[in-house]
Amino acid sequence: MKETPKPTLLVALGGNALIRKGEEGTVPQQFKNLAMPIRQIAKLSQDYRIIITHGNGPQVGNLLLQQESCQEVPKLPLEILVAQTQGQIGYMIESTLDSELMDLGIHVKPLISLITYVVVDENDPAFSDPSKPIGPAYKRKKDAPPGQPVRKTAKGFRRVVVSPQPVTIIEKREIKKLINADFIVICCGGGGIPVAREGRAFQGVDAVIDKDLASSKLAEEVGVDIFLIATDVSGVALNYGAPDQKYLRKVTIKEAQQYLSEGHFPAGSMSPKVEAAIQFIRNQGKRAVITSIEEIESAVNGEAGTEITA
Ligand code: ADP
Ligand code: MG
């Protein structure tokens, strides 16, 4: 008898899976933080085919700062720095996953971290409006790197870079083949390496794609069953940060769009998550959940987080 294939779960890990609020973000801190969300994903891999994606905001911004403070070697463009963060974070997730699987007694589980590039449109209006916060948050605007666009975010003043919409994930077929072979696949790191089509070739682009929007595109192109966005809050709230703040357990696409237009979800943080979930559900997706990294398992089981429904 043919075995029914396991459903596919895509977990998009937020920045706090690696660096917690107020932390310096040393490598030992990042490894320590990863254990908790990765343990849950390791357990879930017994019942689901797994894709893991992750952000890179702090890491790519730090690499950029390191570049700018060294005059001795040639400077690397942002697209190469995104590729570097896929390597560094991919390695950290992969090795943590390896230990957590071992701890659970799961000895034969292939995993792979895949350099992924993502097509963007050169005519995307985002190219004239840098919006994606990267690197450290500064208390005062004047402490941020001079001569660069900076925006005030919930975390403080941060440098912003261009962030175009993802059009398609180049390695979607390979990813599908790998999860069908029961590999756990770590991909689309930092939203993917942004590239523009040039005839039949690709050219790297100086930008950082939002990881939630790239993950939504991947979820749609691979056809996952559950698209889960794991961040540092328990879900989507109305009046976030105000005394009458209220977390939502279920929200329809129509309601979510209404709340978006009322300004409940700021650009660069909650808005891309809600938009990513809406796009996935609208494009025939099954389940989309926004939850905290502590509650990944509970949210998969329908017991936590905010579900976006048709
Ligand atoms: P990640 O690294 O996971 O992408 P972000 O900082 O980009 O995290 O987005 C999560 C943040 O969104 C939360 O820490 C919270 O401060 C902020 N946020 C803004 N508006 C809301 C809202 N309406 N509901 C929940 N969180 C919100
Ligand atoms: Mg984010």
Side-chain angles (χ1 to χ4, degrees), residues 14-16 154-155 211-212 230-233 235-238 240 247 264-266 268-270 273:
N16 67 318
K155 296 183 170 107
K211 72 104 178 35
D212 295 312
T231 184
D232 59 355
V233 285
V236 180
L238 294 183
Y240 179 74
Y247 276 97
H264 285 278
F265 316 131
S269 63
M270 195 41 79
K273 295 185 199 310

Side-chain angles (χ1 to χ4, degrees), residues 61 83 96 113-114 153 164 173 182-183 213 215 220 236 288:
T96 307
S113 152
L114 200 71
T153 72
R173 290 176 203 86
D182 211 25
F183 274 76
L213 297 178
S215 303
E220 175 197 329
V236 180

Side-chain angles (χ1 to χ4, degrees), residues 164-176:
Q165 295 284 323
V167 175
T168 187
I169 316 298
I170 300 281
E171 293 84 355
K172 53 185 174 287
R173 290 176 203 86
E174 289 79 359
I175 295 168
K176 201 163 183 168

Side-chain angles (χ1 to χ4, degrees), residues 15-16 19 30 55-64 85 133-136 158:
N16 67 318
I19 305 176
Q30 296 191 47
N56 71 349
Q59 293 83 0
V60 79
N62 291 356
L63 284 176
L64 199 57
T85 62
I134 60 165
R158 291 180 82 189

Side-chain angles (χ1 to χ4, degrees), residues 100-149:
E100 295 300 333
L101 287 165
M102 289 287 191
D103 271 3
L104 290 171
I106 308 170
H107 295 289
V108 274
K109 189 81 181 172
L111 42 118
I112 190 163
S113 152
L114 200 71
I115 296 291
T116 320
Y117 47 119
V118 174
V119 177
V120 300
D121 178 356
E122 274 177 301
N123 299 314
D124 192 311
F127 282 103
S128 55
D129 178 30
S131 66
K132 168 108 189 126
I134 60 165
Y138 302 92
K139 279 210 180 87
R140 297 171 307 181
K141 195 173 177 184
K142 65 180 170 76
D143 297 329
Q148 305 294 341

Side-chain angles (χ1 to χ4, degrees), residues 66-75:
Q66 286 173 351
Q67 294 281 309
E68 288 162 351
S69 56
C70 170
Q71 305 306 322
E72 275 169 54
V73 291
K75 302 239 180 302

